[in-house]
Amino acid sequence: MLINALLGKMQSVLQPVYDKSVVLQKIDWLIFANILFVIFSSAFSQSDNIGYFAIFAMILTGVKLLTKSGLRFELTTAEKFLLIYFLIVVISVAGSSLFYLSLKGFFKTFIYLGFYVSFVHYIKDNRSKIKYILIAMAMAVVGESIIALKQNFLSVSEISGWQDMSRLNPEEVMTRVYGSLKPYNPNLFGGYMLAALPSTLVLVYLPLLNKHYKTALFGVGCFVLAAVSIVLTGCRGAYIGLFLEFVLLALLTYRFLKPEFKKLFMTLAAAFSAFVFMVIVSTASLRARIFSIFAMRSDSSNSFRFNVYNSCIDMFKDNWLLGIGVGNQNFREIYGLYMKTGFDALSAYNIYLETAVESGVFALLAFLTFIVLNIKAAIKYILIRKNANVIYLAIALISLIGILIHGFVDTVFFRPQIQFVFWMMIGIIRVITNAKKN
């Protein structure tokens, strides 16, 4: 690769600087700190501030690549499709009728992908830090869960009352929690918690692996607390994602249980399912919220989404090759030409449709191929190995599935709080499945 040849020349020139600099030799610690800042700032900071830490990590990684001898770029097959996606996005932005608005959206995309590159380069050389990154994410999740429970008991109103109440009795109106994520939005909070919930499993399965059962019990409590907070968001897309995350977790757990424990596990899983069913049936607000998923056009939120989907499909038909350019501001301007009267929207409410509208069908196919190849690699690894890396891969895979399922009915995926979790989980899969020694 030409870029690696150029890197080699720069490293040969700057290697003396690296050898004499204490800061450069400790640069991995600075990158690690910025990754942690990204994780914790997502819980309470504005989007721009989260992005700054990601940019700092990118800059530090760039400095490391230029000064430390022997570092190279290595593209996996999956990443080649990610590169294709990025190149199509560049062409799409260049040809956008609203170039400057689209350029702003492109910078966000560039930061997300740049952070992914930085994260991968960091954990390739520091795989032992994967555990601590997941623990940090789990701690952020637990903190948000406590805030969510407090909001529920205080019965926060107005900002959390986003539901169709025209067909509901007072006891069926749900208090929807939203944590401390900005902007305050139950769907954003539900999407973030869904993406980060699997990280709490590191507090369960690593202690079990080392036979620290009391610590594992604490991890189970953290997981349950986070799952309850997702339920309290009232986010129906997160409910669907949570159900599938539980199914996948059960399958993976069953896969690695000793034969003598499998029957007990099936009994406990059945009992848990029965308990959840009874909770849903006996809680009027939760029951009404879940049943509204199947109400189709009878629910105003569902009907709104269907109208947006129809308008976005028309947008895609007119811009199927390269799309309209990335960015929510760009989307809003052009969506106004297609929307049905009274149904203004900030996004397509479907990440796949949004990607197709913004960057065209080939960008969507390239991005989906990138994801599918990573999922395939993770499943293949999990099925043939039994070590601590399997735990990390299982966490990343469960998170990825939850994000992708939620993405069918919402586009909070494009918010930085969820984007950075997504790219870290993909990064974990990429590094572990492509490591020479596992």
Side-chain angles (χ1 to χ4, degrees):
M1 290 176 65
L2 176 60
I3 190 170
N4 283 333
L6 294 173
L7 268 181
K9 291 180 180 179
M10 290 297 298
Q11 290 166 1
S12 63
V13 173
L14 297 174
Q15 181 66 34
V17 177
Y18 180 87
D19 292 338
K20 295 177 181 179
S21 173
V22 176
V23 174
L24 288 179
Q25 291 178 26
K26 298 292 184 180
I27 199 167
D28 274 357
W29 285 101
L30 297 176
I31 297 172
F32 181 57
N34 276 280
I35 291 172
L36 295 182
F37 284 141
V38 167
I39 292 171
F40 289 117
S41 64
S42 294
F44 61 84
S45 190
Q46 297 289 346
S47 298
D48 289 346
N49 296 331
I50 303 169
Y52 293 145
F53 292 121
I55 292 171
F56 292 153
M58 292 164 58
I59 293 172
L60 291 169
T61 301
V63 171
K64 178 184 173 182
L65 285 168
L66 290 173
T67 58
K68 186 175 181 179
S69 179
L71 296 182
R72 295 292 184 270
F73 280 104
E74 297 175 359
L75 286 179
T76 65
T77 301
E79 287 172 338
K80 290 176 182 177
F81 284 96
L82 182 62
L83 180 60
I84 291 171
Y85 163 77
F86 178 72
L87 293 175
I88 295 174
V89 168
V90 171
I91 297 171
S92 173
V93 170
S96 175
S97 58
L98 296 173
F99 174 74
Y100 289 107
L101 287 179
S102 188
L103 188 62
K104 185 176 181 180
F106 171 77
F107 285 141
K108 293 179 182 178
T109 302
F110 179 78
I111 291 171
Y112 295 145
L113 296 182
F115 178 78
Y116 165 74
V117 173
S118 299
F119 184 79
V120 166
H121 272 274
Y122 173 76
I123 62 173
K124 271 199 307 183
D125 299 327
N126 301 275
R127 288 171 58 193
S128 62
K129 292 295 190 295
I130 293 176
K131 174 176 69 174
Y132 300 106
I133 289 169
L134 291 174
I135 289 174
M137 198 178 295
M139 292 299 96
V141 166
V142 171
E144 285 297 325
S145 300
I146 293 171
I147 293 172
L149 287 176
K150 181 180 178 181
Q151 290 175 342
N152 180 69
F153 288 124
L154 292 176
S155 298
V156 288
S157 58
E158 295 181 3
I159 195 170
S160 56
W162 300 327
Q163 54 192 310
D164 182 3
M165 295 183 287
S166 61
R167 299 173 180 270
L168 298 178
N169 295 322
E171 68 273 11
E172 294 177 326
V173 177
M174 187 176 194
T175 297
R176 300 186 62 189
V177 303
Y178 46 83
S180 65
L181 273 65
K182 295 180 176 61
Y184 298 134
N185 183 321
N187 290 343
L188 170 60
F189 184 61
Y192 168 77
M193 293 298 290
L194 184 69
L197 167 71
S199 67
T200 60
L201 295 173
V202 78
L203 304 176
V204 179
Y205 288 105
L206 280 185
L208 284 178
L209 191 65
N210 297 310
K211 298 183 179 180
H212 298 154
Y213 301 116
K214 291 183 179 179
T215 306
L217 191 61
F218 168 76
V220 170
C222 293
F223 177 81
V224 171
L225 184 66
V228 169
S229 73
I230 293 175
V231 174
L232 296 178
T233 66
C235 177
R236 297 171 298 174
Y239 288 174
I240 299 171
L242 182 62
F243 170 76
L244 290 174
E245 284 191 350
F246 272 124
V247 171
L248 185 55
L249 173 60
L251 291 174
L252 291 172
T253 302
Y254 185 83
R255 160 79 173 81
F256 292 100
L257 281 176
K258 293 180 180 180
E260 59 267 30
F261 292 121
K262 289 189 174 181
K263 186 175 180 180
L264 174 62
F265 176 78
M266 293 299 294
T267 302
L268 291 174
F272 175 76
S273 300
F275 172 75
V276 171
F277 178 77
M278 290 301 297
V279 169
I280 294 172
V281 170
S282 60
T283 308
S285 59
L286 181 59
R287 183 176 67 248
R289 192 67 184 158
I290 291 176
F291 286 174
S292 71
I293 296 173
F294 311 101
M296 305 304 285
R297 287 278 185 178
S298 297
D299 181 85
S300 64
S301 180
N302 294 348
S303 184
F304 172 79
R305 278 169 167 74
F306 290 138
N307 286 324
V308 173
Y309 295 156
N310 291 334
S311 298
C312 288
I313 289 171
D314 290 337
M315 290 173 67
F316 171 69
K317 288 177 180 177
D318 289 344
N319 303 276
W320 66 273
L321 183 60
L322 291 173
I324 62 173
V326 293
N328 63 304
Q329 293 182 9
N330 185 58
F331 176 90
R332 288 202 69 183
E333 291 293 330
I334 297 180
Y335 175 81
L337 303 174
Y338 292 85
M339 76 174 186
K340 298 179 183 299
T341 304
F343 291 93
D344 190 13
L346 300 174
S347 63
Y349 290 96
N350 180 297
I351 62 175
Y352 311 101
L353 183 55
E354 178 110 1
T355 302
V357 166
E358 290 186 347
S359 304
V361 65
F362 294 111
L364 174 63
L365 291 174
F367 191 68
L368 288 178
T369 303
F370 165 72
I371 292 174
V372 169
L373 289 176
N374 275 289
I375 291 175
K376 182 180 177 181
I379 293 174
K380 182 178 178 181
Y381 187 104
I382 289 170
L383 291 178
I384 63 176
R385 289 178 174 84
K386 292 185 178 182
N387 55 34
N389 286 332
V390 169
I391 296 173
Y392 305 141
L393 275 183
I395 288 170
L397 181 62
I398 293 170
S399 172
L400 196 57
I401 295 301
I403 292 170
L404 295 174
I405 294 301
H406 186 205
F408 275 104
V409 293
D410 213 329
T411 43
V412 290
F413 168 77
F414 295 106
R415 301 294 305 180
Q417 292 91 339
I418 300 173
Q419 276 281 306
F420 288 124
V421 173
F422 171 81
W423 289 112
M424 282 188 275
M425 294 303 184
I426 284 281
I428 290 170
I429 292 174
R430 186 267 189 227
V431 169
I432 292 178
T433 57
N434 287 277
K436 294 179 180 178
K437 293 182 180 181
N438 286 296

